[in-house]
Amino acid sequence: MTTETKVLSCIDCGDELPAERAGLGYRYCTKADRQALRHRGPAVTVLGVNESADAVTVGDSEETRRRGEAGEFGRKDSGLGLDYRPPAPAPSEPAATGRREPVAVPRRPWSDQQEAIVRLHHDMGLSPRRIAERARVNVPRLGITERLAVQIMSVVPRR
């Protein structure tokens, strides 16, 4: 059985088309002047919509122009006027006078010496139990317990 292959030629210059190109449906060759004459690819248009991002459209340039003129790519609320939003409800409390109320700072129930010892031992990699044991031997007057060590390590250190 013989298979007959059909040889296609370029519609412009008559040169033979490669089989792969003919299989993809092209009827013209890959010479630069033929590509410029026959190529009809999609038009990629970048539209500057806002400061943070651009909109990219792929399609016919005439269609993109018509869509742009129709306002599809413009701001969505640009032609609505000033009173298109419903009025905001009135605040239930009177406006602040600009003074801020003082915020209560939580009291730390330990001394600076206790905190220094606990943080020093914690930086050495000791657990709260080992910190309490060491403190009981080395500085018993500070009264550092396992619970106090956990409390101190749970708070951000002072600067």
Side-chain angles (χ1 to χ4, degrees), residues 6-154:
K6 185 177 178 184
V7 177
L8 293 177
S9 59
C10 176
I11 59 174
D12 288 326
C13 67
D15 289 349
E16 184 179 331
L17 287 178
E20 181 182 355
R21 186 158 177 81
L24 291 172
Y26 291 102
R27 296 178 18 187
Y28 55 94
C29 62
T30 57
K31 294 177 185 170
D33 58 335
R34 304 292 174 244
Q35 290 285 320
L37 180 67
R38 299 282 180 181
H39 178 69
R40 300 289 183 256
V44 178
T45 307
V46 178
L47 306 163
V49 177
N50 60 26
E51 296 173 0
S52 64
D54 293 333
V56 178
T57 62
V58 178
D60 181 33
S61 59
E62 183 64 27
E63 177 191 356
T64 303
R65 185 187 60 76
R66 275 187 274 114
R67 289 170 62 191
E69 287 174 354
E72 184 175 334
F73 303 120
R75 289 184 51 196
K76 299 303 179 203
D77 63 349
S78 63
L80 297 175
L82 296 175
D83 57 348
Y84 72 96
R85 292 185 181 159
S92 59
E93 296 180 13
T97 60
R99 293 187 330 196
R100 292 180 7 166
E101 305 234 354
V103 177
V105 178
R107 186 179 166 275
R108 295 176 182 222
W110 56 84
S111 68
D112 290 338
Q113 290 177 333
Q114 288 173 320
E115 184 172 358
I117 294 293
V118 168
R119 294 208 184 274
L120 174 73
H121 285 91
H122 177 67
D123 290 343
M124 293 169 50
L126 298 178
S127 68
R129 176 170 287 139
R130 294 284 296 142
I131 292 172
E133 290 171 0
R134 277 224 176 150
R136 204 173 303 119
V137 171
N138 296 330
V139 281
R141 63 182 172 78
L142 292 180
I144 297 174
T145 62
E146 185 177 350
R147 179 175 182 212
L148 182 64
V150 169
Q151 287 176 344
I152 292 172
M153 291 186 304
S154 299

